[in-house]
Every structure is written in C-alpha cells, then in structure tokens.
Amino acid sequence: MLFQAFMPFELDVDGDITIFGVRKGAGPPLLLLHGFPENHLMWHRIARRLAQKYSVVAIDLRGYGKSSKPAGDDSHAIYSKRTMAKDCIAVMTKLGHAKFYICAHDRGARVAHQLCIDHPSHVEKAILLDIAPTLAMYEQADMLFATAYYHWFLLIQKSPFPETLISANPEAFMDYQMGGRHSPTIQIFDSEAYDSYLEAMRDPAAVHAMCEDYRAAATIDLEHQREDIKEGRKIQCPLMILWGKNGLIEKKYDAIAEWKKVSASTVEGEALDCGHYIPEELPETLLEKIETFLTD
C-alpha cells in the first residue's frame, strides 16, 4: 500500500460530487494535484518525506481515481478548471486549511493555474510541473505540438468517439501514452500505481470524465483564460515552474516567459533531467526543489 501511513478521506464538495484524498503531517498545508491519466498515487515517491515538514493533502481530481465522475454536457463546465479549482478550495477549507501551498503536475497544474487566479487569498506559493499555460499552447499549436500531444486533439472529439477507441483496448492506449512517449520506459512507474492508472482506463465513466477534462480545456477553459487576460487577472503568488528537459515544454516553449505573461509575482524555475513524469522519474531532485522554494 503506497499511502498506507496516510489517512484517506472523502468529502462532499458540490452537491453529489465527492472528492477522495489522503492526508498526513502537521506542518504548513501543501496540496498535491496529479496529472493525466494518473491519480494521487503518482506522488508516492515524495509524499512521505514531504509529510515530515508539511500537512500534505493529495487528492484525486474530479473524474479521476476514486473521486466522482459525473457525466459531462455540451458546455463542458462540469470539468472546467474553474470548477475543479472550486473542488480544491472546498476540500482544503473543510480540512481547516484557509491558506496553503500547491504542487501540481500536468492537468492538476492547469487546475492550480486557475485556482491561483480565482482564489488568490488562499495560495501562498505554487509549483507547476511540466506545463505552459493552456491558451499559449493551443495558440502556438504546430506539427511538433500536435504530434507530441496528439491526445489533446483526440480526446476533445465529440463523445463517444474517443471513449470508444480507448475502451476498445485500454492496455494498448496506456502502453503508448505512458510507455516511452513521455517517459524513458514504462518501468519507471510503481506497479501498484500503474495498475490503478490502467484500471481507470477500463472504466467507461472514468474514460468519459478524462475526455471531458480535455474538452473543457479546448473550450470553456480557453474562454476563462481569455477573460482573465482581458480583465488583468493574474497569478498573485510566487511561482516556480519545473519541466522535463526531454519533453515538449523544453523543445517548444520559453516556459518562464510564458508564465510571466500570466503572473503578477515572481516566476522562477528550470528544466530537469527527465521526461514528463517528474515526481516518478526524478523524486529526489523534485523534493529538493520543493523544499528550497517553499522555505525561502
């Protein structure tokens, strides 16, 4: 059991929506948000060490892991990053954490981006792993982006087309998605964690929810980001950006410059010697970066 020492919880956050998570520690609160197609287990190589200094809360985003997986609709608002950010605020508030740090990867980092803008008084500092802002990535789309992030365009297709393709052979999808496309080998993943990721791909409700996450990113999330830019709403807290030296962010974007465009505070960061799945590929280095940034 990867999180055996942690206390599991389920909290109602929005009507019949329940968010699952685990928590441990007694220091300053730190919220961990996972990426696609993973869940809170992706943090298993650093969470116990972090819990020695922080009150660690690791959740499954709505649509992922053991959290609720409501059916989407044509607006995709149910899976907008603004809605998912509200889930996070509800969880942390119910756990007694009015202000907290965030470390978030991939899709979770996109939720954290919106959370920092919508709820600035709640966030002390934020660490975002291996992303550039969603709007910037779509607006700069080219052959390199579309090839490396093919799933951004597959998963946004009208339901149930991508769901049907994935569900026809979830093992093949996961083997390609995680086994060498973004990581050096599928062997970097702990078997218990990977089995849980694969199990989700065998669940039609989870596959639909993940597609809705991406559909929201290509529609309502872009509307929200354009509105934020127009209204001058920016990230207010200090921000650290870390990305894999072997991935698309390094090859295509000036990550620090892109985040400075949407931040009113300091932005720092660097490329790390790994691929996309930083917490599982390079945990010791990530721990060092987190602890240094949060204690400065």
Side-chain angles (χ1 to χ4, degrees), residues 152-174:
W152 277 45
F153 303 93
L154 170 63
L155 302 186
I156 67 176
Q157 300 304 313
K158 188 174 181 180
S159 178
F161 178 64
E163 289 95 329
T164 301
L165 295 183
I166 293 169
S167 296
N169 195 333
E171 292 81 6
F173 177 80
M174 286 291 286

Side-chain angles (χ1 to χ4, degrees), residues 20-181:
F20 176 86
V22 295
R23 59 191 179 97
K24 180 180 172 61
L30 170 61
L31 175 63
L32 302 178
L33 301 178
H34 66 85
F36 169 87
E38 301 184 283
N39 55 51
H40 75 278
L41 294 181
M42 68 165 289
W43 302 106
H44 70 94
R45 290 181 176 145
I46 67 172
R48 275 178 285 187
R49 288 265 297 277
L50 288 172
Q52 294 173 7
K53 294 185 178 180
Y54 303 97
S55 294
V56 173
V57 178
I59 67 170
D60 293 341
L61 298 169
R62 72 162 61 192
Y64 291 82
K66 296 179 181 178
S67 291
S68 295
K69 301 168 181 63
D73 58 26
D74 290 342
S75 74
H76 311 301
I78 293 171
Y79 287 94
S80 74
K81 304 309 160 290
R82 177 159 288 165
T83 297
M84 296 166 87
K86 289 179 181 177
D87 292 344
C88 298
I89 292 294
V91 166
M92 296 303 278
T93 299
K94 290 190 174 189
L95 294 177
H97 304 312
K99 301 188 74 170
F100 49 89
Y101 299 122
I102 301 177
C103 181
H105 175 254
D106 189 74
R107 309 309 292 176
R110 301 189 190 284
V111 174
H113 174 191
Q114 197 64 52
L115 191 158
C116 288
I117 290 177
D118 291 352
H119 309 278
S121 65
H122 290 268
V123 186
E124 299 274 13
K125 292 182 178 181
I127 303 166
L128 307 184
L129 305 180
D130 211 59
I131 71 165
T134 306
L135 180 60
M137 292 182 73
Y138 268 123
E139 288 186 338
Q140 298 174 42
D142 59 9
M143 181 68 79
L144 175 62
F145 173 75
T147 302
Y149 279 33
Y150 77 96
H151 61 293
W152 277 45
F153 303 93
L154 170 63
L155 302 186
I156 67 176
Q157 300 304 313
K158 188 174 181 180
S159 178
F161 178 64
E163 289 95 329
T164 301
L165 295 183
I166 293 169
S167 296
N169 195 333
E171 292 81 6
F173 177 80
M174 286 291 286
D175 186 59
Y176 181 73
Q177 183 69 23
M178 302 187 75
R181 192 182 67 86

Side-chain angles (χ1 to χ4, degrees), residues 102-277:
I102 301 177
C103 181
H105 175 254
D106 189 74
R107 309 309 292 176
R110 301 189 190 284
V111 174
H113 174 191
Q114 197 64 52
L115 191 158
C116 288
I117 290 177
D118 291 352
H119 309 278
S121 65
H122 290 268
V123 186
E124 299 274 13
K125 292 182 178 181
I127 303 166
L128 307 184
L129 305 180
D130 211 59
I131 71 165
T134 306
L135 180 60
M137 292 182 73
Y138 268 123
E139 288 186 338
Q140 298 174 42
D142 59 9
M143 181 68 79
L144 175 62
F145 173 75
T147 302
Y149 279 33
Y150 77 96
H151 61 293
W152 277 45
F153 303 93
L154 170 63
L155 302 186
I156 67 176
Q157 300 304 313
K158 188 174 181 180
S159 178
F161 178 64
E163 289 95 329
T164 301
L165 295 183
I166 293 169
S167 296
N169 195 333
E171 292 81 6
F173 177 80
M174 286 291 286
D175 186 59
Y176 181 73
Q177 183 69 23
M178 302 187 75
R181 192 182 67 86
H182 276 319
S183 60
T185 169
I186 208 164
Q187 301 305 317
I188 68 165
F189 301 106
D190 176 89
S191 60
E192 179 184 336
Y194 187 81
D195 287 349
S196 75
Y197 310 153
L198 179 56
E199 181 182 2
M201 284 298 166
R202 295 176 177 141
D203 176 4
V207 174
H208 173 69
M210 293 180 205
C211 290
E212 283 297 300
D213 176 9
Y214 280 83
R215 291 178 183 123
T219 54
I220 191 169
D221 290 347
L222 298 184
E223 295 174 14
H224 290 159
Q225 290 193 13
R226 290 188 179 105
E227 290 170 1
D228 290 336
I229 291 171
K230 182 179 179 181
E231 298 298 324
R233 293 189 291 265
K234 293 188 173 185
I235 295 171
Q236 300 297 315
C237 66
L239 193 61
M240 181 165 73
I241 310 299
L242 300 172
W243 63 95
K245 191 177 293 184
N246 303 323
L248 178 72
I249 303 300
E250 170 73 4
K251 294 175 183 176
K252 181 170 172 56
Y253 304 100
D254 183 337
I256 300 298
E258 292 296 343
W259 284 105
K260 283 183 176 179
K261 293 176 185 178
V262 297
S263 175
S265 186
T266 58
V267 181
E268 61 182 86
E270 63 184 290
L272 304 180
D273 190 18
C274 62
H276 178 61
Y277 300 100

